[in-house]
PDB file of all heavy atoms in Angstrom:
ATOM      1  N   GLU A   1       0.819  -1.205   0.000  1.00  0.00           N
ATOM      2  CA  GLU A   1       0.000   0.000   0.000  1.00  0.00           C
ATOM      3  C   GLU A   1       0.856   1.260   0.000  1.00  0.00           C
ATOM      4  O   GLU A   1       0.385   2.341   0.356  1.00  0.00           O
ATOM      5  CB  GLU A   1      -0.942   0.009   1.209  1.00  0.00           C
ATOM      6  CG  GLU A   1      -2.003  -1.085   1.172  1.00  0.00           C
ATOM      7  CD  GLU A   1      -3.027  -0.919   2.274  1.00  0.00           C
ATOM      8  OE1 GLU A   1      -2.839  -0.019   3.124  1.00  0.00           O
ATOM      9  OE2 GLU A   1      -4.013  -1.678   2.291  1.00  0.00           O
ATOM     10  N   VAL A   2       2.106   1.137  -0.448  1.00  0.00           N
ATOM     11  CA  VAL A   2       3.023   2.275  -0.455  1.00  0.00           C
ATOM     12  C   VAL A   2       3.403   2.605  -1.893  1.00  0.00           C
ATOM     13  O   VAL A   2       3.873   1.734  -2.639  1.00  0.00           O
ATOM     14  CB  VAL A   2       4.297   1.971   0.370  1.00  0.00           C
ATOM     15  CG1 VAL A   2       5.252   3.155   0.309  1.00  0.00           C
ATOM     16  CG2 VAL A   2       3.931   1.636   1.802  1.00  0.00           C
ATOM     17  N   LEU A   3       3.171   3.879  -2.286  1.00  0.00           N
ATOM     18  CA  LEU A   3       3.596   4.328  -3.610  1.00  0.00           C
ATOM     19  C   LEU A   3       5.120   4.451  -3.629  1.00  0.00           C
ATOM     20  O   LEU A   3       5.720   5.025  -2.709  1.00  0.00           O
ATOM     21  CB  LEU A   3       2.980   5.684  -3.940  1.00  0.00           C
ATOM     22  CG  LEU A   3       1.536   5.707  -4.429  1.00  0.00           C
ATOM     23  CD1 LEU A   3       1.030   7.138  -4.499  1.00  0.00           C
ATOM     24  CD2 LEU A   3       1.427   5.056  -5.798  1.00  0.00           C
ATOM     25  N   THR A   4       5.752   3.916  -4.674  1.00  0.00           N
ATOM     26  CA  THR A   4       7.203   4.049  -4.819  1.00  0.00           C
ATOM     27  C   THR A   4       7.494   5.162  -5.813  1.00  0.00           C
ATOM     28  O   THR A   4       6.875   5.246  -6.879  1.00  0.00           O
ATOM     29  CB  THR A   4       7.826   2.737  -5.299  1.00  0.00           C
ATOM     30  OG1 THR A   4       7.225   2.325  -6.532  1.00  0.00           O
ATOM     31  CG2 THR A   4       7.629   1.644  -4.262  1.00  0.00           C
ATOM     32  N   MET A   5       8.425   6.019  -5.430  1.00  0.00           N
ATOM     33  CA  MET A   5       8.759   7.184  -6.247  1.00  0.00           C
ATOM     34  C   MET A   5      10.260   7.368  -6.244  1.00  0.00           C
ATOM     35  O   MET A   5      10.951   6.954  -5.304  1.00  0.00           O
ATOM     36  CB  MET A   5       8.056   8.438  -5.697  1.00  0.00           C
ATOM     37  CG  MET A   5       6.555   8.283  -5.492  1.00  0.00           C
ATOM     38  SD  MET A   5       5.820   9.588  -4.493  1.00  0.00           S
ATOM     39  CE  MET A   5       5.943  10.959  -5.600  1.00  0.00           C
ATOM     40  N   GLN A   6      10.773   8.012  -7.301  1.00  0.00           N
ATOM     41  CA  GLN A   6      12.199   8.340  -7.339  1.00  0.00           C
ATOM     42  C   GLN A   6      12.380   9.735  -7.933  1.00  0.00           C
ATOM     43  O   GLN A   6      11.787  10.083  -8.953  1.00  0.00           O
ATOM     44  CB  GLN A   6      12.990   7.310  -8.147  1.00  0.00           C
ATOM     45  CG  GLN A   6      12.593   7.183  -9.603  1.00  0.00           C
ATOM     46  CD  GLN A   6      13.423   6.128 -10.332  1.00  0.00           C
ATOM     47  OE1 GLN A   6      13.984   5.220  -9.714  1.00  0.00           O
ATOM     48  NE2 GLN A   6      13.527   6.252 -11.649  1.00  0.00           N
ATOM     49  N   GLU A   7      13.167  10.547  -7.225  1.00  0.00           N
ATOM     50  CA  GLU A   7      13.445  11.906  -7.691  1.00  0.00           C
ATOM     51  C   GLU A   7      14.632  11.886  -8.636  1.00  0.00           C
ATOM     52  O   GLU A   7      15.684  11.316  -8.326  1.00  0.00           O
ATOM     53  CB  GLU A   7      13.736  12.817  -6.487  1.00  0.00           C
ATOM     54  CG  GLU A   7      13.907  14.277  -6.868  1.00  0.00           C
ATOM     55  CD  GLU A   7      14.169  15.157  -5.652  1.00  0.00           C
ATOM     56  OE1 GLU A   7      15.122  14.844  -4.900  1.00  0.00           O
ATOM     57  OE2 GLU A   7      13.436  16.143  -5.443  1.00  0.00           O
ATOM     58  N   LEU A   8      14.472  12.530  -9.804  1.00  0.00           N
ATOM     59  CA  LEU A   8      15.547  12.572 -10.799  1.00  0.00           C
ATOM     60  C   LEU A   8      16.313  13.887 -10.752  1.00  0.00           C
ATOM     61  O   LEU A   8      17.537  13.907 -10.837  1.00  0.00           O
ATOM     62  CB  LEU A   8      14.973  12.374 -12.199  1.00  0.00           C
ATOM     63  CG  LEU A   8      14.204  11.083 -12.480  1.00  0.00           C
ATOM     64  CD1 LEU A   8      13.753  11.048 -13.933  1.00  0.00           C
ATOM     65  CD2 LEU A   8      15.044   9.872 -12.151  1.00  0.00           C
ATOM     66  N   PHE A   9      15.581  14.998 -10.657  1.00  0.00           N
ATOM     67  CA  PHE A   9      16.197  16.324 -10.700  1.00  0.00           C
ATOM     68  C   PHE A   9      15.654  17.162  -9.541  1.00  0.00           C
ATOM     69  O   PHE A   9      14.513  16.981  -9.103  1.00  0.00           O
ATOM     70  CB  PHE A   9      15.888  17.037 -12.028  1.00  0.00           C
ATOM     71  CG  PHE A   9      16.245  16.237 -13.250  1.00  0.00           C
ATOM     72  CD1 PHE A   9      15.287  15.443 -13.871  1.00  0.00           C
ATOM     73  CD2 PHE A   9      17.522  16.269 -13.785  1.00  0.00           C
ATOM     74  CE1 PHE A   9      15.601  14.695 -15.002  1.00  0.00           C
ATOM     75  CE2 PHE A   9      17.844  15.523 -14.903  1.00  0.00           C
ATOM     76  CZ  PHE A   9      16.882  14.727 -15.521  1.00  0.00           C
ATOM     77  N   PHE A  10      16.461  18.112  -9.061  1.00  0.00           N
ATOM     78  CA  PHE A  10      16.027  18.935  -7.934  1.00  0.00           C
ATOM     79  C   PHE A  10      16.753  20.273  -7.953  1.00  0.00           C
ATOM     80  O   PHE A  10      17.782  20.450  -8.621  1.00  0.00           O
ATOM     81  CB  PHE A  10      16.302  18.209  -6.604  1.00  0.00           C
ATOM     82  CG  PHE A  10      17.748  17.867  -6.374  1.00  0.00           C
ATOM     83  CD1 PHE A  10      18.631  18.766  -5.801  1.00  0.00           C
ATOM     84  CD2 PHE A  10      18.248  16.614  -6.762  1.00  0.00           C
ATOM     85  CE1 PHE A  10      19.964  18.460  -5.609  1.00  0.00           C
ATOM     86  CE2 PHE A  10      19.580  16.288  -6.570  1.00  0.00           C
ATOM     87  CZ  PHE A  10      20.441  17.209  -5.993  1.00  0.00           C
ATOM     88  N   PHE A  11      16.204  21.215  -7.213  1.00  0.00           N
ATOM     89  CA  PHE A  11      16.859  22.506  -6.962  1.00  0.00           C
ATOM     90  C   PHE A  11      17.193  22.567  -5.479  1.00  0.00           C
ATOM     91  O   PHE A  11      16.326  22.363  -4.628  1.00  0.00           O
ATOM     92  CB  PHE A  11      15.941  23.666  -7.338  1.00  0.00           C
ATOM     93  CG  PHE A  11      16.505  25.025  -6.967  1.00  0.00           C
ATOM     94  CD1 PHE A  11      17.463  25.625  -7.761  1.00  0.00           C
ATOM     95  CD2 PHE A  11      16.086  25.674  -5.807  1.00  0.00           C
ATOM     96  CE1 PHE A  11      18.002  26.865  -7.408  1.00  0.00           C
ATOM     97  CE2 PHE A  11      16.606  26.909  -5.448  1.00  0.00           C
ATOM     98  CZ  PHE A  11      17.571  27.512  -6.257  1.00  0.00           C
ATOM     99  N   GLU A  12      18.460  22.838  -5.155  1.00  0.00           N
ATOM    100  CA  GLU A  12      18.904  22.916  -3.768  1.00  0.00           C
ATOM    101  C   GLU A  12      19.084  24.372  -3.366  1.00  0.00           C
ATOM    102  O   GLU A  12      19.890  25.100  -3.957  1.00  0.00           O
ATOM    103  CB  GLU A  12      20.217  22.147  -3.572  1.00  0.00           C
ATOM    104  CG  GLU A  12      20.647  22.100  -2.120  1.00  0.00           C
ATOM    105  CD  GLU A  12      21.906  21.260  -1.921  1.00  0.00           C
ATOM    106  OE1 GLU A  12      22.487  20.805  -2.929  1.00  0.00           O
ATOM    107  OE2 GLU A  12      22.295  21.059  -0.760  1.00  0.00           O
ATOM    108  N   HIS A  13      18.322  24.804  -2.377  1.00  0.00           N
ATOM    109  CA  HIS A  13      18.365  26.173  -1.877  1.00  0.00           C
ATOM    110  C   HIS A  13      19.485  26.273  -0.850  1.00  0.00           C
ATOM    111  O   HIS A  13      19.440  25.616   0.188  1.00  0.00           O
ATOM    112  CB  HIS A  13      17.003  26.516  -1.260  1.00  0.00           C
ATOM    113  CG  HIS A  13      16.901  27.917  -0.756  1.00  0.00           C
ATOM    114  ND1 HIS A  13      15.801  28.389  -0.076  1.00  0.00           N
ATOM    115  CD2 HIS A  13      17.757  28.962  -0.821  1.00  0.00           C
ATOM    116  CE1 HIS A  13      15.982  29.656   0.253  1.00  0.00           C
ATOM    117  NE2 HIS A  13      17.171  30.018  -0.184  1.00  0.00           N
ATOM    118  N   THR A  14      20.496  27.116  -1.131  1.00  0.00           N
ATOM    119  CA  THR A  14      21.662  27.173  -0.249  1.00  0.00           C
ATOM    120  C   THR A  14      21.728  28.438   0.599  1.00  0.00           C
ATOM    121  O   THR A  14      22.450  28.466   1.603  1.00  0.00           O
ATOM    122  CB  THR A  14      22.956  27.078  -1.074  1.00  0.00           C
ATOM    123  OG1 THR A  14      22.990  28.152  -2.034  1.00  0.00           O
ATOM    124  CG2 THR A  14      23.027  25.739  -1.795  1.00  0.00           C
ATOM    125  N   GLY A  15      21.011  29.487   0.245  1.00  0.00           N
ATOM    126  CA  GLY A  15      21.085  30.716   1.029  1.00  0.00           C
ATOM    127  C   GLY A  15      20.420  31.878   0.331  1.00  0.00           C
ATOM    128  O   GLY A  15      19.723  31.712  -0.681  1.00  0.00           O
ATOM    129  N   VAL A  16      20.656  33.076   0.878  1.00  0.00           N
ATOM    130  CA  VAL A  16      20.076  34.305   0.334  1.00  0.00           C
ATOM    131  C   VAL A  16      21.170  35.361   0.263  1.00  0.00           C
ATOM    132  O   VAL A  16      21.963  35.518   1.205  1.00  0.00           O
ATOM    133  CB  VAL A  16      18.910  34.807   1.226  1.00  0.00           C
ATOM    134  CG1 VAL A  16      18.302  36.084   0.655  1.00  0.00           C
ATOM    135  CG2 VAL A  16      17.832  33.741   1.372  1.00  0.00           C
ATOM    136  N   THR A  17      21.227  36.090  -0.839  1.00  0.00           N
ATOM    137  CA  THR A  17      22.227  37.146  -1.010  1.00  0.00           C
ATOM    138  C   THR A  17      21.834  38.365  -0.175  1.00  0.00           C
ATOM    139  O   THR A  17      20.699  38.482   0.277  1.00  0.00           O
ATOM    140  CB  THR A  17      22.335  37.542  -2.493  1.00  0.00           C
ATOM    141  OG1 THR A  17      21.080  38.108  -2.911  1.00  0.00           O
ATOM    142  CG2 THR A  17      22.661  36.334  -3.352  1.00  0.00           C
ATOM    143  N   PRO A  18      22.767  39.308   0.041  1.00  0.00           N
ATOM    144  CA  PRO A  18      22.432  40.514   0.811  1.00  0.00           C
ATOM    145  C   PRO A  18      21.264  41.316   0.240  1.00  0.00           C
ATOM    146  O   PRO A  18      20.555  41.993   0.992  1.00  0.00           O
ATOM    147  CB  PRO A  18      23.734  41.325   0.764  1.00  0.00           C
ATOM    148  CG  PRO A  18      24.805  40.296   0.600  1.00  0.00           C
ATOM    149  CD  PRO A  18      24.206  39.239  -0.268  1.00  0.00           C
ATOM    150  N   ASP A  19      21.052  41.248  -1.079  1.00  0.00           N
ATOM    151  CA  ASP A  19      19.947  41.992  -1.676  1.00  0.00           C
ATOM    152  C   ASP A  19      18.659  41.169  -1.720  1.00  0.00           C
ATOM    153  O   ASP A  19      17.681  41.572  -2.369  1.00  0.00           O
ATOM    154  CB  ASP A  19      20.307  42.473  -3.079  1.00  0.00           C
ATOM    155  CG  ASP A  19      20.627  41.325  -4.032  1.00  0.00           C
ATOM    156  OD1 ASP A  19      20.756  40.180  -3.552  1.00  0.00           O
ATOM    157  OD2 ASP A  19      20.740  41.577  -5.247  1.00  0.00           O
ATOM    158  N   GLY A  20      18.640  40.012  -1.044  1.00  0.00           N
ATOM    159  CA  GLY A  20      17.414  39.239  -0.916  1.00  0.00           C
ATOM    160  C   GLY A  20      17.182  38.207  -1.981  1.00  0.00           C
ATOM    161  O   GLY A  20      16.122  37.562  -2.002  1.00  0.00           O
ATOM    162  N   ARG A  21      18.123  37.975  -2.893  1.00  0.00           N
ATOM    163  CA  ARG A  21      17.944  36.980  -3.941  1.00  0.00           C
ATOM    164  C   ARG A  21      18.311  35.584  -3.430  1.00  0.00           C
ATOM    165  O   ARG A  21      19.263  35.400  -2.667  1.00  0.00           O
ATOM    166  CB  ARG A  21      18.824  37.295  -5.166  1.00  0.00           C
ATOM    167  CG  ARG A  21      18.665  38.688  -5.714  1.00  0.00           C
ATOM    168  CD  ARG A  21      17.241  38.979  -6.142  1.00  0.00           C
ATOM    169  NE  ARG A  21      16.813  38.157  -7.251  1.00  0.00           N
ATOM    170  CZ  ARG A  21      15.605  38.217  -7.790  1.00  0.00           C
ATOM    171  NH1 ARG A  21      14.701  39.054  -7.300  1.00  0.00           N
ATOM    172  NH2 ARG A  21      15.283  37.435  -8.803  1.00  0.00           N
ATOM    173  N   VAL A  22      17.531  34.597  -3.863  1.00  0.00           N
ATOM    174  CA  VAL A  22      17.760  33.217  -3.437  1.00  0.00           C
ATOM    175  C   VAL A  22      18.973  32.648  -4.160  1.00  0.00           C
ATOM    176  O   VAL A  22      19.133  32.810  -5.376  1.00  0.00           O
ATOM    177  CB  VAL A  22      16.520  32.351  -3.730  1.00  0.00           C
ATOM    178  CG1 VAL A  22      16.835  30.870  -3.573  1.00  0.00           C
ATOM    179  CG2 VAL A  22      15.382  32.745  -2.796  1.00  0.00           C
ATOM    180  N   GLU A  23      19.845  31.972  -3.397  1.00  0.00           N
ATOM    181  CA  GLU A  23      21.001  31.294  -3.966  1.00  0.00           C
ATOM    182  C   GLU A  23      20.758  29.790  -3.950  1.00  0.00           C
ATOM    183  O   GLU A  23      20.091  29.262  -3.054  1.00  0.00           O
ATOM    184  CB  GLU A  23      22.266  31.617  -3.171  1.00  0.00           C
ATOM    185  CG  GLU A  23      22.771  33.031  -3.343  1.00  0.00           C
ATOM    186  CD  GLU A  23      24.086  33.257  -2.608  1.00  0.00           C
ATOM    187  OE1 GLU A  23      24.201  32.772  -1.461  1.00  0.00           O
ATOM    188  OE2 GLU A  23      24.987  33.897  -3.169  1.00  0.00           O
ATOM    189  N   GLY A  24      21.283  29.108  -4.925  1.00  0.00           N
ATOM    190  CA  GLY A  24      21.146  27.656  -4.992  1.00  0.00           C
ATOM    191  C   GLY A  24      21.537  27.140  -6.352  1.00  0.00           C
ATOM    192  O   GLY A  24      21.979  27.904  -7.224  1.00  0.00           O
ATOM    193  N   GLY A  25      21.385  25.849  -6.534  1.00  0.00           N
ATOM    194  CA  GLY A  25      21.755  25.249  -7.807  1.00  0.00           C
ATOM    195  C   GLY A  25      20.926  24.019  -8.093  1.00  0.00           C
ATOM    196  O   GLY A  25      20.309  23.426  -7.210  1.00  0.00           O
ATOM    197  N   TYR A  26      20.913  23.631  -9.377  1.00  0.00           N
ATOM    198  CA  TYR A  26      20.184  22.446  -9.815  1.00  0.00           C
ATOM    199  C   TYR A  26      21.108  21.240  -9.779  1.00  0.00           C
ATOM    200  O   TYR A  26      22.305  21.345 -10.045  1.00  0.00           O
ATOM    201  CB  TYR A  26      19.650  22.658 -11.231  1.00  0.00           C
ATOM    202  CG  TYR A  26      18.591  23.734 -11.318  1.00  0.00           C
ATOM    203  CD1 TYR A  26      18.910  25.007 -11.760  1.00  0.00           C
ATOM    204  CD2 TYR A  26      17.284  23.468 -10.938  1.00  0.00           C
ATOM    205  CE1 TYR A  26      17.947  26.005 -11.839  1.00  0.00           C
ATOM    206  CE2 TYR A  26      16.307  24.455 -11.009  1.00  0.00           C
ATOM    207  CZ  TYR A  26      16.653  25.726 -11.452  1.00  0.00           C
ATOM    208  OH  TYR A  26      15.693  26.702 -11.511  1.00  0.00           O
ATOM    209  N   GLY A  27      20.522  20.097  -9.443  1.00  0.00           N
ATOM    210  CA  GLY A  27      21.312  18.874  -9.393  1.00  0.00           C
ATOM    211  C   GLY A  27      20.511  17.669  -9.850  1.00  0.00           C
ATOM    212  O   GLY A  27      19.305  17.757 -10.108  1.00  0.00           O
ATOM    213  N   THR A  28      21.193  16.556  -9.965  1.00  0.00           N
ATOM    214  CA  THR A  28      20.561  15.285 -10.328  1.00  0.00           C
ATOM    215  C   THR A  28      20.837  14.275  -9.228  1.00  0.00           C
ATOM    216  O   THR A  28      21.857  14.351  -8.532  1.00  0.00           O
ATOM    217  CB  THR A  28      21.102  14.748 -11.663  1.00  0.00           C
ATOM    218  OG1 THR A  28      22.523  14.553 -11.542  1.00  0.00           O
ATOM    219  CG2 THR A  28      20.832  15.725 -12.801  1.00  0.00           C
ATOM    220  N   SER A  29      19.914  13.338  -9.082  1.00  0.00           N
ATOM    221  CA  SER A  29      20.062  12.339  -8.025  1.00  0.00           C
ATOM    222  C   SER A  29      20.969  11.190  -8.430  1.00  0.00           C
ATOM    223  O   SER A  29      21.359  10.377  -7.591  1.00  0.00           O
ATOM    224  CB  SER A  29      18.683  11.797  -7.637  1.00  0.00           C
ATOM    225  OG  SER A  29      18.097  11.118  -8.741  1.00  0.00           O
ATOM    226  N   GLY A  30      21.287  11.105  -9.714  1.00  0.00           N
ATOM    227  CA  GLY A  30      22.108   9.998 -10.189  1.00  0.00           C
ATOM    228  C   GLY A  30      21.313   8.753 -10.520  1.00  0.00           C
ATOM    229  O   GLY A  30      21.890   7.720 -10.881  1.00  0.00           O
ATOM    230  N   VAL A  31      19.981   8.816 -10.403  1.00  0.00           N
ATOM    231  CA  VAL A  31      19.123   7.673 -10.710  1.00  0.00           C
ATOM    232  C   VAL A  31      18.651   7.771 -12.157  1.00  0.00           C
ATOM    233  O   VAL A  31      18.206   8.821 -12.602  1.00  0.00           O
ATOM    234  CB  VAL A  31      17.909   7.642  -9.754  1.00  0.00           C
ATOM    235  CG1 VAL A  31      16.990   6.472 -10.093  1.00  0.00           C
ATOM    236  CG2 VAL A  31      18.373   7.560  -8.298  1.00  0.00           C
ATOM    237  N   ARG A  32      18.753   6.672 -12.879  1.00  0.00           N
ATOM    238  CA  ARG A  32      18.299   6.660 -14.272  1.00  0.00           C
ATOM    239  C   ARG A  32      16.774   6.531 -14.324  1.00  0.00           C
ATOM    240  O   ARG A  32      16.165   5.857 -13.500  1.00  0.00           O
ATOM    241  CB  ARG A  32      18.954   5.486 -15.021  1.00  0.00           C
ATOM    242  CG  ARG A  32      18.695   5.491 -16.535  1.00  0.00           C
ATOM    243  CD  ARG A  32      19.490   4.388 -17.205  1.00  0.00           C
ATOM    244  NE  ARG A  32      20.922   4.586 -17.020  1.00  0.00           N
ATOM    245  CZ  ARG A  32      21.657   5.372 -17.793  1.00  0.00           C
ATOM    246  NH1 ARG A  32      21.088   6.040 -18.794  1.00  0.00           N
ATOM    247  NH2 ARG A  32      22.945   5.487 -17.577  1.00  0.00           N
ATOM    248  N   SER A  33      16.181   7.171 -15.316  1.00  0.00           N
ATOM    249  CA  SER A  33      14.727   7.187 -15.439  1.00  0.00           C
ATOM    250  C   SER A  33      14.161   5.781 -15.611  1.00  0.00           C
ATOM    251  O   SER A  33      14.708   4.943 -16.335  1.00  0.00           O
ATOM    252  CB  SER A  33      14.302   8.047 -16.638  1.00  0.00           C
ATOM    253  OG  SER A  33      12.925   7.914 -16.894  1.00  0.00           O
ATOM    254  N   ALA A  34      13.025   5.540 -14.965  1.00  0.00           N
ATOM    255  CA  ALA A  34      12.331   4.263 -15.126  1.00  0.00           C
ATOM    256  C   ALA A  34      11.688   4.145 -16.503  1.00  0.00           C
ATOM    257  O   ALA A  34      11.261   3.056 -16.898  1.00  0.00           O
ATOM    258  CB  ALA A  34      11.258   4.129 -14.046  1.00  0.00           C
ATOM    259  N   TRP A  35      11.631   5.261 -17.230  1.00  0.00           N
ATOM    260  CA  TRP A  35      10.993   5.260 -18.554  1.00  0.00           C
ATOM    261  C   TRP A  35      12.015   5.265 -19.690  1.00  0.00           C
ATOM    262  O   TRP A  35      11.682   5.577 -20.830  1.00  0.00           O
ATOM    263  CB  TRP A  35      10.080   6.475 -18.687  1.00  0.00           C
ATOM    264  CG  TRP A  35       9.065   6.553 -17.595  1.00  0.00           C
ATOM    265  CD1 TRP A  35       9.079   7.375 -16.512  1.00  0.00           C
ATOM    266  CD2 TRP A  35       7.912   5.729 -17.451  1.00  0.00           C
ATOM    267  NE1 TRP A  35       8.004   7.124 -15.706  1.00  0.00           N
ATOM    268  CE2 TRP A  35       7.261   6.127 -16.259  1.00  0.00           C
ATOM    269  CE3 TRP A  35       7.354   4.697 -18.211  1.00  0.00           C
ATOM    270  CZ2 TRP A  35       6.096   5.529 -15.805  1.00  0.00           C
ATOM    271  CZ3 TRP A  35       6.191   4.101 -17.756  1.00  0.00           C
ATOM    272  CH2 TRP A  35       5.570   4.518 -16.571  1.00  0.00           C
ATOM    273  N   SER A  36      13.257   4.900 -19.388  1.00  0.00           N
ATOM    274  CA  SER A  36      14.308   4.910 -20.421  1.00  0.00           C
ATOM    275  C   SER A  36      13.956   4.021 -21.608  1.00  0.00           C
ATOM    276  O   SER A  36      14.176   4.401 -22.767  1.00  0.00           O
ATOM    277  CB  SER A  36      15.645   4.474 -19.803  1.00  0.00           C
ATOM    278  OG  SER A  36      16.063   5.376 -18.799  1.00  0.00           O
TER     279      SER A  36
END
C-alpha cells in the first residue's frame, strides 16, 4: 500500500544574497529514469 517514487532532478536552496535573492543550484540524483 506504499507508492514508490524516485526523484531525478532537484533545486537545492543554499542561502540568500544581501539583496534578498535566493542562492542555490540544480542537481541530479544519479538515478536513471524508469521510462528509459
Side-chain angles (χ1 to χ4, degrees):
E1 294 188 354
V2 178
L3 280 171
T4 57
M5 308 166 70
Q6 61 180 23
E7 185 179 54
L8 301 182
F9 306 94
F10 59 86
F11 174 79
E12 185 176 5
H13 182 185
T14 58
V16 180
T17 64
D19 60 350
R21 307 301 295 179
V22 168
E23 289 184 318
Y26 294 100
T28 60
S29 64
V31 178
R32 188 174 298 276
S33 171
W35 305 104
S36 297

